[in-house]
């Protein structure tokens, strides 16, 4: 298909306002502002756009839930805290096409009646933030953001808010907490952000890629958008392929495309002489798929049917040199480090999963440790405020499910049975 | 006396909080430029929601002192009408704020799966050998601090290294480490390591 979001991404200066304006820039906004906000929401509902952040929730419906019958101000929060391991699509979009995101924010604000959009960008993306700030200043200067946008009388500000390094800030209520100047920890839901979000006002939290899809819906029409891709999985989608492939990168395709095509055609296939051992299809938080399960469309519904999730479409490919105990341990290090500490099962459980995996990987484990992993994992799943807990237990649970003999071999042989030359022998970490 | 069957009751050990007390640091007041910058940032939030600027304020403290000090946090609390404990609560949660003095170049290697699959562990190992410090340490001259970092969100350019929370080095191989360290020591920036967007421009 002809790329929509990444069409001009390889062009020099594609991130500038001048370039953007030459290629239908802010045209979607112009069309949306000519419609009533309720019609804007209807159009987005017709298009079937689903959130690109991970959950795949219909965007139009999310906006419809935002309270209108209230004197309180409303807010759009753009979730640019892209931290899911294996995901880097928003990074590319913001780096190469920041105005598309601004345009999406403004359409969102018009739809729900907000006067401000906060873009919460992760602190590590400082080089991206510099681009955003320079381009935002240009958009303000030329009347695309600020007062009386495009001469329609619509006023809307965009604020870029820098985070400071917390994976959990990508969860929508934790993002709101962080925007309010607190620790990024999730809130108890309900109330949902649509009712009481930022500063306890009605808010919608949308992912960067979701917002970037909006302008094309208004330019080409919702039917066009819905027609790209399978039913209920319409529109262009960005897929991030990383790990043991020849050509890692971001690839735009419809959700008809299969996981195997993404890995072997778009990402150039496996390194020479190697074959796939396991694939994580949607960022580290989702269950792994095995090589024979890859001939399915990379759509929200098809991947869910296969027992995993499309999530943020961060496809991590591991070849046969990968030790699965090591991989699970690597991810549990991430989760134990990033657990916000609010819910006990997750805070304590992640730490224990990591300790037990470390023991097994070093060849010091016992056979009962494998069942212990499953038991600890199952005591986290479903017992936490946000989805982090389920995500954190997943790497441990699915590696044991699919690769149990490998765990057993580590125990019986007393060493890592799948050493690889790209791994360090012992990590030089200072005691603390 | 102790009511606990195993634990002795001992003032020296058990009545002390295990919390690490924040480093006081030098006396702290924002420079006029930084104070003006913070005042400007405050205009972006509703007037009664000054707390939203706490992360921005802490970045400014870190920029001025090199790390986040107790004195700096009290100063921020005064400006934002918060209790110092509320500021410390936030500062200690986020990993990009350093709570103790760090080297001139803080080298943070991404360690999460996609980077690890592409050899990040060996990059860290080589850096550790080259700099003569372990992960989490600062060298004697205060030039380098070596840290590991969780997913930086550039997995297609793995392994990735972030220096001083801002400058990125991408597709780093163990054999590049020497060049990278020389690059930093000379305060240069080798374009061969720089970002994807710059490469597109070239």
């Amino acid at each position: 298909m002809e790329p929509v979001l990444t069409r001009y991404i390889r062009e020099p200066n594609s991130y500038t306002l001048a370039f953007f304006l030459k290629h239908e820039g802010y045209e979607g906004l112009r069309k949306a502002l000519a419609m009533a906000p309720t019609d804007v929401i209807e159009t987005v509902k017709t298009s079937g756009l689903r959130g690109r952040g991970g959950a795949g929730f219909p965007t139009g419906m999310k906006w419809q839930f935002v309270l209108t019958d209230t004197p309180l101000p409303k807010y759009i929060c753009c979730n640019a805290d892209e931290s899911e391991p294996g995901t880097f699509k928003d990074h590319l979009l913001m780096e190469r096409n920041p105005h598309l995101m601004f345009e999406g924010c403004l359409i969102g604000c018009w739809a729900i009646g907000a006067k401000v959009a906060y873009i919460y960008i992760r602190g590590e993306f400082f080089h991206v933030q510099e681009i955003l700030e320079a381009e935002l200043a240009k958009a303000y200067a030329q009347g695309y953001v600020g007062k009386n946008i495009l001469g329609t009388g619509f006023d809307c500000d965009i604020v870029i808010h820098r985070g400071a390094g917390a994976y959990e800030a990508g969860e929508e209520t934790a993002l709101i907490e962080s925007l309010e100047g607190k620790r990024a920890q999730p809130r108890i839901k309900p109330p949902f952000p649509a009712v009481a979000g930022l500063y306890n006002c009605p808010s919608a939290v949308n992912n960067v890629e979701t917002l970037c899809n909006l302008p094309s819906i208004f330019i080409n029409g919702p039917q066009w958008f819905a027609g790209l891709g399978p039913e209920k999985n319409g529109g262009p989608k960005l897929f991030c392929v990383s790990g043991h492939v020849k050509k890692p990168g971001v690839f735009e395709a419809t959700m008809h495309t299969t996981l195997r095509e993404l890995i072997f055609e778009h990402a150039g296939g496996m390194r020479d002489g190697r074959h796939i051992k396991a694939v994580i299809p949607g960022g580290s938080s989702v269950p792994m798929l095995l090589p024979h399960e890859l001939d399915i469309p990379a759509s929200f519904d098809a991947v869910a049917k296969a027992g995993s999730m499309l999530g943020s479409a961060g496809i991590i490919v591991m070849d046969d040199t990968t030790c699965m105990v090591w991989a699970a341990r690597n991810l549990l290090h991430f989760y134990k480090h990033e657990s916000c500490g609010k819910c006990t099962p997750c805070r304590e459980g992640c730490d224990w999963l990591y300790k037990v995996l470390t023991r097994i990987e070093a060849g010091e484990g016992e056979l009962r440790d494998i069942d212990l992993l499953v038991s600890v994992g199952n005591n986290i799943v479903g017992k936490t405020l946000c989805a982090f807990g389920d995500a954190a237990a997943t790497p441990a649970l699915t590696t044991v499910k699919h690769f149990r003999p490998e765990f057993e071999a580590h125990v019986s042989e007393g060493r890592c049975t799948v050493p690889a030359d790209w791994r360090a022998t012992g990590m030089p970490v200072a005691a603390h | 006396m102790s009511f606990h069957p195993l634990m002795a009751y001992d003032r020296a050990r058990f009545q002390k909080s295990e919390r690490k007390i924040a480093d006081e640091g030098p006396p702290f007041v924002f420079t006029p430029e930084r104070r003006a910058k913070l005042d400007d940032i405050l205009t972006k939030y509703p007037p009664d929601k000054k707390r939203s600027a706490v992360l921005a304020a802490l970045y400014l403290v870190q920029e001025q002192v090199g790390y986040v000090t107790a004195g700096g946090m009290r100063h921020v609390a005064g400006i934002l009408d918060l209790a110092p404990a509320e500021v410390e609560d936030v500062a200690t949660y986020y990993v990009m704020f350093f709570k103790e003095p760090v080297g001139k170049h803080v080298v943070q290697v991404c360690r999460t799966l996609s980077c690890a699959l592409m050899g990040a562990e060996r990059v860290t190992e080589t850096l550790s050998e080259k700099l003569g410090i372990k992960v989490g340490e600062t060298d004697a001259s205060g030039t380098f601090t070596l840290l590991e970092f969780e997913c930086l969100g550039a997995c297609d350019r793995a392994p990735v290294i972030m220096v001083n929370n801002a400058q990125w080095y991408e597709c780093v191989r163990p054999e590049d480490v020497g060049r990278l360290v020389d690059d930093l020591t000379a305060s240069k920036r080798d374009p061969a390591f720089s970002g994807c967007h710059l490469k597109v421009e070239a």
Side-chain angles (χ1 to χ4, degrees):
Chain A
M1 82 178 232
E2 181 78 8
V4 180
L5 301 170
T6 56
R7 186 165 176 190
Y8 302 115
I9 238 144
R10 304 283 162 216
E11 307 262 342
N13 301 317
S14 74
Y15 61 92
T16 60
L17 180 57
F19 184 98
F20 188 64
L21 290 176
K22 268 187 224 144
H23 298 91
E24 297 188 308
Y26 293 104
E27 277 310 308
L29 175 65
R30 202 182 293 276
K31 293 214 159 74
L33 291 181
M35 300 161 75
T38 46
D39 293 337
V40 171
I41 294 179
E42 271 316 309
T43 306
V44 176
K45 280 177 80 176
T46 313
S47 77
L49 171 63
R50 293 170 72 168
R52 286 352 189 189
F57 191 80
T59 307
M61 218 185 278
K62 197 178 221 178
W63 288 354
Q64 201 162 40
F65 290 150
V66 175
L67 274 193
T68 47
D69 185 20
T70 164
L72 295 169
K74 298 168 201 75
Y75 297 102
I76 285 278
C77 305
C78 171
N79 187 345
D81 185 76
E82 183 174 56
S83 316
E84 177 75 17
T87 314
F88 40 95
K89 60 194 175 60
D90 301 344
H91 186 171
L92 180 77
L93 278 175
M94 290 190 284
E95 218 167 43
R96 298 303 306 170
N97 209 348
H99 289 285
L100 200 59
M101 173 176 67
F102 299 153
E103 192 179 352
C105 287
L106 295 170
I107 295 174
C109 285
W110 175 245
I112 68 161
K115 297 276 177 238
V116 192
Y118 287 100
I119 296 174
Y120 185 100
I121 183 166
R122 66 181 296 193
E124 294 86 341
F125 283 178
F126 186 62
H127 57 297
V128 183
Q129 194 182 343
E130 285 178 326
I131 300 173
L132 294 186
E133 278 172 355
E135 291 305 317
L136 184 59
K138 283 191 218 163
Y140 262 103
Q142 298 197 26
Y144 294 100
V145 187
K147 298 264 176 259
N148 191 18
I149 294 168
L150 300 174
T152 57
F154 173 53
D155 299 339
C156 190
D157 285 309
I158 293 179
V159 176
I160 296 164
H161 183 103
R162 186 184 186 192
Y167 169 72
E168 183 57 15
E171 198 275 343
E172 60 177 6
T173 55
L175 181 139
I176 289 169
E177 287 282 298
S178 184
L179 256 173
E180 291 182 359
K182 299 173 197 157
R183 290 181 160 221
Q185 293 183 319
R187 292 176 178 172
I188 295 171
K189 289 181 270 189
F192 288 91
V195 176
L198 182 61
Y199 308 131
N200 270 328
C201 300
S203 315
V205 184
N206 295 113
N207 173 262
V208 173
E209 191 192 342
T210 312
L211 293 170
C212 285
N213 269 307
L214 292 166
S216 68
I217 292 174
F218 289 90
I219 294 172
N220 303 315
Q223 279 78 20
W224 163 84
F225 188 89
L228 294 174
E231 204 188 345
K232 291 188 182 151
N233 293 274
K237 179 79 194 86
L238 298 185
F239 296 95
C240 320
V241 188
S242 66
H244 290 149
V245 289
K246 277 189 185 150
K247 225 178 60 182
V250 178
F251 306 102
E252 184 172 349
T254 67
M255 289 188 253
H256 283 302
T257 316
T258 66
L259 289 168
R260 191 176 297 281
E261 282 165 3
L262 285 164
I263 296 167
F264 285 93
E265 284 164 33
H266 293 79
M270 306 304 287
R271 299 183 300 179
D272 293 328
R274 295 289 164 203
H275 57 264
I276 299 183
K277 187 164 186 180
V279 172
I280 303 179
S284 65
S285 302
V286 309
M288 290 175 190
L289 294 176
L290 297 176
H292 68 271
E293 297 173 303
L294 300 176
D295 293 302
I296 51 165
S299 70
F300 291 109
D301 295 336
V303 181
K305 209 175 143 206
S308 185
M309 281 187 290
L310 184 64
S312 57
I315 301 168
I316 306 175
V317 184
M318 290 173 269
D319 73 16
D320 51 333
T321 59
T322 315
C323 166
M324 299 318 286
V325 185
W326 170 87
R329 175 177 177 265
N330 180 288
L331 288 177
L332 257 302
H333 185 286
F334 173 83
Y335 286 108
K336 87 163 173 108
H337 183 267
E338 298 295 337
S339 174
C340 81
K342 188 160 179 161
C343 312
T344 311
C346 169
R347 180 187 64 237
E348 301 296 321
C350 290
D351 207 34
W352 279 111
L353 285 177
Y354 174 71
K355 281 180 186 160
V356 175
L357 281 164
T358 303
R359 191 156 73 197
I360 299 175
E361 206 267 329
E364 292 157 7
E366 299 170 36
L367 276 178
R368 60 176 184 169
D369 284 341
I370 304 170
D371 291 324
L372 184 60
L373 285 176
V374 177
S375 155
V376 174
N378 285 332
N379 275 297
I380 305 175
V381 174
K383 294 177 176 61
T384 54
L385 280 180
C386 75
F388 185 111
D390 298 17
T394 297
L397 292 176
T398 60
T399 44
V400 172
K401 184 175 153 206
H402 293 311
F403 300 97
R404 198 178 180 105
E406 204 166 307
F407 281 74
E408 288 165 353
H410 275 71
V411 173
S412 60
E413 298 202 19
R415 62 183 178 89
C416 178
T417 49
V418 196
D421 58 0
W422 41 266
R423 280 165 52 192
T425 36
M427 283 304 278
V429 179
H432 50 191
Chain B
M1 62 162 276
S2 171
F3 297 101
H4 193 280
L6 301 174
M7 225 188 287
Y9 192 72
D10 174 342
R11 273 180 178 273
R13 280 182 295 160
F14 299 121
Q15 278 187 308
K16 268 202 182 145
S17 163
E18 287 184 10
R19 185 173 72 97
K20 207 171 168 197
I21 306 294
D23 190 312
E24 178 57 33
F28 186 90
V29 184
F30 276 129
T31 57
E33 301 78 52
R34 291 205 178 86
R35 181 58 205 260
K37 213 169 169 183
L38 180 57
D39 288 339
D40 179 51
I41 289 168
L42 280 168
T43 62
K44 296 176 175 177
Y45 303 97
D48 58 335
K49 307 293 181 194
K50 285 203 270 185
R51 185 170 182 163
S52 281
V54 66
L55 294 181
L58 288 168
Y59 272 119
L60 291 171
V61 172
Q62 183 152 293
E63 190 183 293
Q64 189 165 324
V65 196
Y67 66 107
V68 175
T69 61
M73 289 191 278
R74 278 201 306 278
H75 186 63
V76 168
I79 297 172
L80 302 180
D81 298 330
L82 295 170
E86 288 175 302
V87 179
E88 194 177 337
D89 178 54
V90 172
T92 49
Y93 181 80
Y94 293 92
V95 293
M96 288 178 71
F97 299 127
F98 306 124
K99 286 81 177 181
E100 49 197 52
V102 286
K104 188 175 161 215
H105 305 292
V106 183
V107 181
Q108 295 165 305
V109 189
C110 179
R111 69 168 318 283
T112 315
L113 192 58
S114 293
C115 277
L117 290 170
M118 297 306 282
E121 286 187 357
R122 289 198 46 223
V123 171
T124 311
E125 196 178 48
T126 319
L127 265 170
S128 169
E129 278 164 23
K130 168 93 183 167
L131 299 173
I133 47 174
K134 290 179 179 169
V135 174
E137 291 178 344
T138 303
D139 66 2
S141 65
T143 316
F144 286 99
T145 299
L146 180 61
L147 297 173
E148 285 187 306
F149 209 86
E150 297 295 351
C151 190
L152 281 163
C155 319
D156 52 340
R157 312 170 217 167
V160 190
I161 292 178
M162 181 172 71
V163 178
N164 292 341
N165 283 346
Q167 187 177 341
W168 285 36
Y169 292 90
E170 293 154 2
C171 306
V172 183
R173 292 161 304 170
E175 53 270 33
D176 296 332
V177 160
R179 200 152 54 91
L180 188 144
V181 170
D182 296 341
D183 198 48
L184 286 171
T185 314
S187 294
K188 277 193 312 188
R189 181 145 193 215
D190 189 337
F193 288 122
S194 42
C196 160
H197 64 282
L198 297 170
K199 272 189 188 151
V200 172
E201 241 47 272

